[in-house]
């Protein structure tokens, strides 16, 4: 009986020892797991604290139209500054009979962000008086021409190949055209239109270098590259020429229809 009691005691001891070992292991694992979890939680919290302040949340959605308007406003301001600089450069030109015999510089008028830029030959008496392009009878005819293809004058940008009125409204010489073409090309680059319309032989020569008769060049789409950018252009008659030779209005109408079609093809809003 004594030996039996000793055997049972040893069994109980072993069982108790095993329970103790299991408890110790369980506590160790629980403690280690908890420690790891606490460490991970601390690291995650530090990461959140580092990143979270970078984000700004608002109840209202982002107004992307407002971003677009801001870009357009910046573009408008930049163009206005560049145009003022260009005007100052033209005004500072020296040894020029055109400038010496003129009272006022005429740079341009209209929507400087328009996809359509219309360039005439040179100002007349009415334009010089008011300081803006295409006035008087010439301006009235231009307005009618534009309305015929559903375009309002205020939605385009107009300018001249020559910025001063020639004496006695004579035709500018090739030397004068070439000299002012530098300013005109810079003018086009600033406005950055999608379509250029050259009205009259002086405008044609200034941009293309072609000095042939306008009747052989008008009515066909051409291209000009300025500062590595390609601009499509149409050569047509100047309104002042059409007033003197109204029989050519039918040809001008054909040119206008091609301009209208190009605007549709390019999906431009004018």
């Amino acid at each position: 009986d004594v030996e039996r009691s000793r055997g049972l005691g040893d069994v109980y001891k072993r069982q108790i020892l095993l329970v103790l070992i299991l408890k110790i292991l369980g506590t160790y694992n629980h403690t280690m797991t908890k420690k790891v979890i606490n460490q991970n939680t601390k690291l995650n919290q530090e990461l959140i604290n580092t990143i979270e302040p970078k984000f700004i949340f608002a109840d209202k959605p982002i107004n992307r139209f407002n971003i677009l308007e801001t870009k357009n406003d910046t573009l408008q301001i930049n163009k206005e500054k560049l145009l003022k600089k260009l005007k100052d450069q033209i005004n500072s030109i020296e040894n020029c009979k055109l400038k010496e015999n003129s009272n006022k510089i005429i740079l341009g008028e209209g929507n400087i962000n328009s996809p359509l830029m219309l360039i005439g030959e040179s100002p007349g008496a009415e334009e010089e008086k008011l300081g803006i392009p295409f006035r008087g009878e010439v301006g009235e005819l231009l307005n009618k021409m534009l309305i015929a293809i559903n375009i309002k004058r205020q939605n385009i940008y107009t300018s001249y190949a020559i910025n001063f009125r020639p004496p006695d409204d004579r035709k500018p010489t090739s030397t004068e055209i070439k000299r002012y073409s530098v300013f005109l090309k810079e003018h086009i680059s600033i406005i950055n239109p999608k379509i250029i319309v050259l009205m009259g032989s002086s405008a044609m020569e200034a941009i293309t270098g072609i000095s042939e008769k306008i009747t052989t060049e008008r009515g066909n789409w051409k291209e000009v590259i300025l500062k590595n950018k390609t601009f499509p252009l149409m050569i047509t008659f100047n309104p002042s020429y059409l007033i003197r030779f109204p029989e050519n209005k039918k040809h001008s109408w054909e040119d206008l229809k091609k301009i209208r079609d190009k605007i549709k093809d390019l999906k431009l809003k004018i």
Side-chain angles (χ1 to χ4, degrees):
D1 291 338
V2 173
E3 290 179 358
R4 185 179 177 185
S5 297
R6 287 178 180 175
L8 289 172
D10 291 339
V11 171
Y12 289 143
K13 287 178 181 180
R14 285 196 295 271
Q15 288 178 346
I16 291 169
L17 180 61
L18 181 62
V19 169
L20 289 173
I21 291 171
L22 290 173
K23 284 185 176 182
I24 292 171
L25 291 173
T27 303
Y28 175 79
N29 288 337
H30 177 71
T31 304
M32 290 300 293
T33 303
K34 185 176 181 182
K35 186 176 181 181
V36 170
I37 290 172
N38 288 339
Q39 287 177 343
N40 288 339
T41 303
K42 185 178 180 181
L43 289 172
N44 289 339
Q45 187 61 47
E46 289 177 355
L47 182 63
I48 290 171
N49 291 338
T50 302
I51 298 174
E52 195 172 30
K54 304 293 183 181
F55 295 93
I56 299 174
F57 297 94
D59 295 332
K60 296 181 180 180
I62 297 173
N63 187 347
R64 302 193 184 278
F65 292 102
N66 188 40
I67 294 173
L68 183 61
E69 287 174 2
T70 302
K71 287 182 178 179
N72 287 338
D73 290 342
T74 303
L75 182 65
Q76 178 88 8
I77 293 170
N78 289 340
K79 282 189 177 182
E80 288 173 354
K81 288 181 178 179
L82 291 172
L83 289 172
K84 184 181 183 304
K85 183 179 178 181
L86 177 64
K87 188 174 183 178
D88 291 340
Q89 288 175 342
I90 298 171
N91 256 329
S92 64
I93 196 170
E94 297 179 352
N95 301 319
C96 177
K97 291 182 179 180
L98 293 174
K99 179 186 173 183
E100 292 170 0
N101 288 280
S102 180
N103 298 322
K104 194 176 295 181
I105 182 175
I106 292 89
L107 187 66
E109 182 200 32
N111 180 7
I112 62 176
N113 294 316
S114 176
L116 179 61
M117 182 174 183
L118 193 152
I119 302 167
E121 296 190 279
S122 58
E126 199 72 26
E127 289 82 6
E128 185 181 47
K129 179 181 178 181
L130 299 173
I132 45 181
F134 295 100
R135 297 290 109 179
E137 189 178 4
V138 173
E140 291 175 4
L141 178 55
L142 176 61
N143 292 342
K144 290 178 182 178
M145 293 167 68
L146 292 171
I147 290 172
I149 55 173
N150 301 316
I151 293 177
K152 293 180 179 179
R153 171 79 174 273
Q154 62 265 30
N155 294 335
I156 69 168
Y157 186 80
T158 58
S159 184
Y160 288 119
I162 303 293
N163 302 105
F164 295 101
R165 180 192 175 192
D168 302 319
D169 293 324
R170 65 167 173 78
K171 178 179 169 58
T173 65
S174 291
T175 302
E176 291 168 339
I177 292 171
K178 186 176 181 180
R179 187 176 190 183
Y180 279 83
S181 68
V182 177
F183 301 120
L184 178 58
K185 290 173 182 177
E186 179 63 24
H187 202 164
I188 293 171
S189 295
I190 294 171
I191 300 300
N192 192 28
K194 301 298 182 184
I195 297 174
I196 300 171
V197 178
L198 303 177
M199 304 189 98
S201 58
S202 296
M204 175 183 71
E205 185 175 349
I207 297 302
T208 67
I210 299 172
S211 56
E212 304 296 326
K213 289 185 177 180
I214 193 171
T215 51
T216 61
E217 299 296 333
R218 53 143 291 272
N220 296 311
W221 284 105
K222 301 180 185 295
E223 291 182 342
V224 63
I225 300 175
L226 301 174
K227 294 187 177 180
N228 297 320
K229 183 165 185 178
T230 302
F231 297 91
L233 61 85
M234 171 65 71
I235 298 169
T236 189
F237 294 119
N238 195 304
S240 61
Y241 175 84
L242 295 175
I243 291 172
R244 299 194 306 272
F245 303 99
E247 64 272 15
N248 285 307
K249 286 183 179 180
K250 59 184 179 182
H251 300 303
S252 180
W253 172 236
E254 295 300 320
D255 300 343
L256 288 170
K257 287 191 290 185
K258 290 179 181 179
I259 294 168
R260 180 187 61 191
D261 293 341
K262 176 68 78 173
I263 291 171
K264 289 181 180 179
D265 291 342
L266 297 178
K267 298 179 180 179
L268 302 176
K269 294 182 179 180
I270 301 177

